[in-house]
Amino acid sequence: MLALKLENINKKYEKFHLKDISFELEKGYIMGFIGSNGAGKTTTLKSILNMIHVDSGEVSVFGQHFLGNEIKLKQDMGYTFGVAVFYMKRRVKQLSMVIKRFYTNWNDDTYAYYLKRFKIDEDKKVSELSEGMKVKYALTLALSHDAKLFILDEPTSGLDPVARDNLLELFQELVESGERSILFSTHITSDLEKCADYITYINNGIIIGSDTMDHFINTYKLVKGPLNKIEQIKNNLIAYKVNSFGFSGLMETALYTEYEGLTTEAPTLEDIMIYFARKEDNDEKLTV
């Protein structure tokens, strides 16, 4: 069963256009949503939740159209945007008492369990929590009403490596039962290499690819060689860099054939993003 499906989502602003965004997230999996700043990640996530009104397209959650079922479906969803934002001067206990009234499935025992597990002090003001604890508090709220789909925008941003690693382990634990799914955006691609089952990559408002982690990585090759070899393959490269040892470039695996003197290796997610950004920069220079 699909936890989430986007079909041809479009949203046009004066200087930015989200173009025909389509991808699917199966139930019980983690999908990493990557792209440079301004690529359209947050706009897409807000489109899912109807926080912005799209020009066209459709979002389905658990097989139901989101528009028309928004209130019901949000009972089964948890979401945060950027660093978790709350009424900072309120105490955790006060804020939780307000939030719980909105959810018919709220369970006080579950709430108490995660408060204890995450070592969240209910008597503290939200402003007194660390950034990592704010994210864990947001997750506690979502888990307390038994959310099945989590939409998270940069949940690990600003966290130290230990806190990030702990959070990624929690994400993996949450989907183990096969009942929960997580879509989260991040620019820290190494986090996704630790925990994501699927990757969706957006660049300049367009989905470049959406697939399992392995298939997405295997779509591309990092090609390296001496400068005198670059003319043979330059037209097939997405983009390339020149260095003191020669060149390195990104190519679609389907376009690659063996060349004497060239070596290949699997790119990282970061490599793929960097070379696509370089291609975009080069394209812009050509149009000026």
Side-chain angles (χ1 to χ4, degrees), residues 117 164-174 176 195:
R117 175 174 172 175
R164 289 205 334 261
D165 192 63
N166 289 339
L167 199 59
L168 297 177
E169 284 188 5
L170 173 63
F171 289 168
Q172 290 176 302
E173 179 185 322
L174 291 178
E176 277 180 2
C195 74

Side-chain angles (χ1 to χ4, degrees), residues 56-287:
S56 61
E58 191 167 77
V59 175
S60 298
V61 175
F62 309 125
Q64 301 178 62
H65 298 314
F66 192 77
L67 292 181
N69 296 290
E70 181 176 351
I71 294 175
K72 179 180 74 171
L73 289 171
K74 280 187 174 179
Q75 292 288 322
D76 293 321
M77 300 172 70
Y79 40 92
T80 64
F81 284 88
V83 175
V85 177
F86 303 101
Y87 293 99
M88 304 297 283
K89 298 303 180 183
R90 294 288 185 180
R91 299 193 184 278
V92 169
K93 183 184 297 184
Q94 294 172 314
L95 193 55
S96 298
M97 287 297 292
V98 172
I99 291 172
K100 67 183 287 186
R101 298 173 188 170
F102 291 93
Y103 295 101
T104 57
N105 292 332
W106 183 274
N107 187 306
D108 284 326
D109 291 336
T110 302
Y111 173 70
Y113 167 79
Y114 280 104
L115 281 182
K116 183 176 181 180
R117 175 174 172 175
F118 295 151
K119 299 177 182 177
I120 299 171
D121 184 349
E122 268 199 305
D123 292 322
K124 278 190 173 182
K125 292 181 180 178
V126 175
S127 60
E128 296 173 333
L129 301 178
S130 68
E131 298 306 328
M133 293 302 280
K134 288 173 188 170
V135 173
K136 288 182 177 180
Y137 176 50
L139 289 171
T140 294
L141 296 173
L143 290 164
S144 297
H145 64 83
D146 198 25
K148 296 294 192 299
L149 174 61
F150 294 81
I151 308 291
L152 310 174
D153 190 18
E154 302 283 1
T156 59
S157 179
L159 304 188
D160 64 68
V162 174
R164 289 205 334 261
D165 192 63
N166 289 339
L167 199 59
L168 297 177
E169 284 188 5
L170 173 63
F171 289 168
Q172 290 176 302
E173 179 185 322
L174 291 178
V175 300
E176 277 180 2
S177 67
E179 293 300 313
R180 297 189 182 106
S181 307
I182 299 173
L183 170 64
F184 79 99
S185 74
T186 182
H187 62 276
I188 307 173
T189 54
S190 58
D191 285 352
L192 299 178
E193 288 161 354
K194 293 178 182 178
C195 74
D197 304 295
Y198 290 86
I199 294 292
T200 294
Y201 174 35
I202 187 170
N203 187 53
N204 196 27
I206 299 171
I207 298 295
I208 300 297
S210 184
D211 211 329
T212 64
M213 173 73 81
D214 288 344
H215 285 173
F216 181 77
I217 294 292
N218 291 336
T219 300
Y220 305 98
K221 283 184 182 294
L222 202 57
V223 184
K224 298 181 179 180
L227 272 179
N228 61 9
K229 296 286 186 180
I230 195 171
E231 291 300 326
Q232 299 178 50
I233 64 167
K234 185 165 68 173
N235 290 338
N236 285 337
L237 293 173
I238 291 166
Y240 64 91
K241 298 179 186 178
V242 174
N243 54 48
S244 57
F245 299 101
F247 78 94
S248 63
L250 189 72
M251 178 186 286
E252 290 185 23
T253 302
L255 297 178
Y256 182 78
T257 55
E258 294 293 333
Y259 292 94
E260 186 178 350
L262 299 182
T263 61
T264 66
E265 60 187 62
T268 63
L269 292 174
E270 186 172 291
D271 288 330
I272 294 169
M273 289 178 62
I274 287 171
Y275 282 100
F276 267 98
R278 181 171 286 260
K279 176 183 183 300
E280 186 177 339
D281 289 342
N282 290 338
D283 291 345
E284 286 178 359
K285 289 175 184 176
L286 289 173
T287 59

